[in-house]
Amino acid sequence: EPLSHDEARALALQLFGRHDPASQAQAEAIARESGGNPFFVQVLVQCLAAETSLVEHSSAGELVLDEVLWERIKALPEETRRLLEVIAASGQPLKLAEACQAAQISGEEHGTVTALRSSRLIRGTGVAEHEEVETYHDRIRETILSHVSADVVKAHHGSIARVLEKSVPADRMAMLAALSDDDSALERRKQDSKRMLDLAYHFDAAGESARALPYALAMADQARGQYALEIAEQLYRIAERGAEKADDATRFRIAESLGSVLMLRGKYPEAAIRFKFALALTTDTITQAQIEGKLAELAFKCGDMKTAIEANERALRMLGNRVPRWSITFFFSLLWEALVQVLHTVFPRLFLA
């Protein structure tokens, strides 16, 4: 739980070791900017003690934590700073060994990691080869990502994705299929699912959406099957970005699936766009009729009865059913369908064998 404003100010004054008016003004700025985080209080006090240029800003009440943090990060050696940037770009805990590979840390990494730990810029969980690292606080990650160029961040995402992909079996499709097998290795399947989600995210963030496509599509289908519709939508959108040069069957699958998810989430205009795009990608009559049926359902949900009726009629015609235009035609068609149902019920072997 964060410190109160008064507690943070008192801690800053205690760390300063003095209570003169200038120190009190600085402590007030520190308490406000730190948000009650004791670590940030300590960081700001240390930086004020080392940087005379910051003292003027703090006395005027203009102290900014992001600037202070970035000054500390800029002062790190190149390899150490690169490792920290990779961990920040990851956005979630990343295995230490994989983080070091992605950052291309040469030689012994112990000193680099120790420097970041001692500065409280990263923290770890787990032991030995299973240890994972992340930024010590979200504010540190946000500071790094706001100061590092977009191209550098994209490069870090690409490096992370290529390192993670090394753990994927050579037969990628066998791994994707394994996620739907009914086996007892639940923990392994969870790990595989997480790895594939990470691969989809990092390849897409690196601007390599085509490489993200198989992972995003597999995990989107899984999320949709589990009714995790928000996650499914995000993953289908990644797959959509990566399918620019894919075959028509894959593009149809993505467009139809994304349209269905968008419809379930109440995003009807976007869903209609995907269904119309899917309709243009297939020549199968039954499939086209199904898509027309979904367009009719969308129009009905939007209260557009005329468009809904037209779409349903197109679907019926695609399936070889005539749409009655007159009452007498409708009456005889109804009698015929009733007769067919009665015959199927009374003599099932004759008609359905």
Side-chain angles (χ1 to χ4, degrees), residues 127-142:
V127 294
E129 68 272 13
H130 299 295
E131 182 180 11
E132 295 184 330
V133 291
E134 61 182 330
T135 54
Y136 191 85
H137 193 278
D138 284 343
R139 190 77 177 265
I140 296 172
R141 180 177 61 83
E142 292 165 2

Side-chain angles (χ1 to χ4, degrees), residues 190-223:
K190 287 181 179 179
Q191 292 175 1
D192 289 343
S193 295
K194 182 180 183 303
R195 180 53 51 99
M196 292 173 67
L197 282 169
D198 291 342
L199 283 166
Y201 166 71
H202 287 299
F203 273 130
D204 181 61
E208 300 179 51
S209 298
R211 293 185 69 173
L213 172 59
Y215 305 113
L217 189 52
M219 296 313 301
D221 289 342
Q222 185 181 87

Side-chain angles (χ1 to χ4, degrees), residues 14-30:
Q14 183 179 358
L15 292 172
F16 277 132
R18 57 184 186 272
H19 293 75
D20 56 88
S23 297
Q24 290 181 8
Q26 292 167 7
E28 182 70 26
I30 289 172

Side-chain angles (χ1 to χ4, degrees), residues 21-308:
S23 297
Q24 290 181 8
Q26 292 167 7
E28 182 70 26
I30 289 172
R32 183 184 63 254
E33 187 62 22
S34 67
N37 186 300
F39 168 63
F40 291 145
V41 171
Q42 182 182 18
V43 168
L44 290 167
V45 170
Q46 290 175 345
C47 289
L48 284 173
E51 292 287 341
T52 55
S53 60
L54 292 174
V55 173
E56 298 177 0
H57 291 292
S58 64
S59 299
E62 300 174 355
L63 187 64
V64 179
L65 177 60
D66 287 353
E67 294 178 3
V68 173
L69 289 173
W70 183 240
E71 289 299 321
R72 290 189 74 190
I73 292 166
K74 281 199 307 181
L76 294 172
E78 182 181 351
E79 277 196 351
T80 307
R81 186 174 68 251
R82 188 166 64 247
L83 176 59
L84 181 58
E85 289 175 1
V86 166
I87 294 171
S90 175
Q92 61 181 349
L94 182 66
K95 284 187 177 180
L96 177 58
E98 292 173 339
C100 290
Q101 288 181 51
Q104 300 178 338
I105 301 299
S106 59
E108 178 58 50
E109 74 226 17
H110 179 73
T112 300
V113 175
T114 300
L116 292 175
R117 287 189 201 277
S118 61
S119 301
R120 292 193 180 181
L121 293 172
I122 65 170
R123 59 184 175 183
T125 56
V127 294
E129 68 272 13
H130 299 295
E131 182 180 11
E132 295 184 330
V133 291
E134 61 182 330
T135 54
Y136 191 85
H137 193 278
D138 284 343
R139 190 77 177 265
I140 296 172
R141 180 177 61 83
E142 292 165 2
T143 297
I144 294 169
L145 297 181
S146 67
H147 285 84
V148 175
S149 71
D151 288 340
V152 170
V153 175
K154 286 176 67 174
H156 288 327
H157 280 296
S159 298
I160 294 170
R162 281 183 281 277
V163 169
L164 295 180
E165 197 173 37
K166 291 178 181 178
S167 65
V168 176
D171 187 353
R172 177 184 297 171
M173 296 314 296
M175 180 184 177
L176 302 186
L179 289 174
S180 59
D181 290 341
D182 185 15
D183 56 61
S184 59
L186 181 60
E187 187 60 32
R188 177 58 184 168
R189 292 176 63 183
K190 287 181 179 179
Q191 292 175 1
D192 289 343
S193 295
K194 182 180 183 303
R195 180 53 51 99
M196 292 173 67
L197 282 169
D198 291 342
L199 283 166
Y201 166 71
H202 287 299
F203 273 130
D204 181 61
E208 300 179 51
S209 298
R211 293 185 69 173
L213 172 59
Y215 305 113
L217 189 52
M219 296 313 301
D221 289 342
Q222 185 181 87
R224 181 184 176 189
Q226 296 171 346
Y227 297 98
L229 298 181
E230 183 177 357
I231 295 174
E233 179 188 338
Q234 293 170 356
L235 289 165
Y236 279 129
R237 288 186 186 277
I238 291 175
E240 185 178 53
R241 288 192 289 272
E244 184 177 345
K245 297 182 180 179
D247 56 77
D248 285 351
T250 300
R251 293 163 69 204
F252 170 85
R253 176 183 168 189
I254 295 169
E256 189 277 333
S257 298
L258 179 54
S260 297
V261 170
L262 290 169
M263 181 167 65
L264 289 171
R265 300 200 68 207
K267 300 181 179 182
Y268 301 141
E270 286 188 87
I273 293 172
R274 267 59 180 204
F275 285 143
K276 290 176 181 178
F277 183 69
L279 191 62
L281 291 172
T282 181
T283 57
D284 180 72
T285 303
I286 294 177
T287 304
Q288 288 178 334
Q290 290 173 336
I291 298 298
E292 288 286 5
K294 292 187 176 185
L295 286 168
E297 183 180 353
L298 272 177
F300 178 79
K301 288 177 181 291
C302 294
D304 188 349
M305 297 298 113
K306 181 175 182 295
T307 300

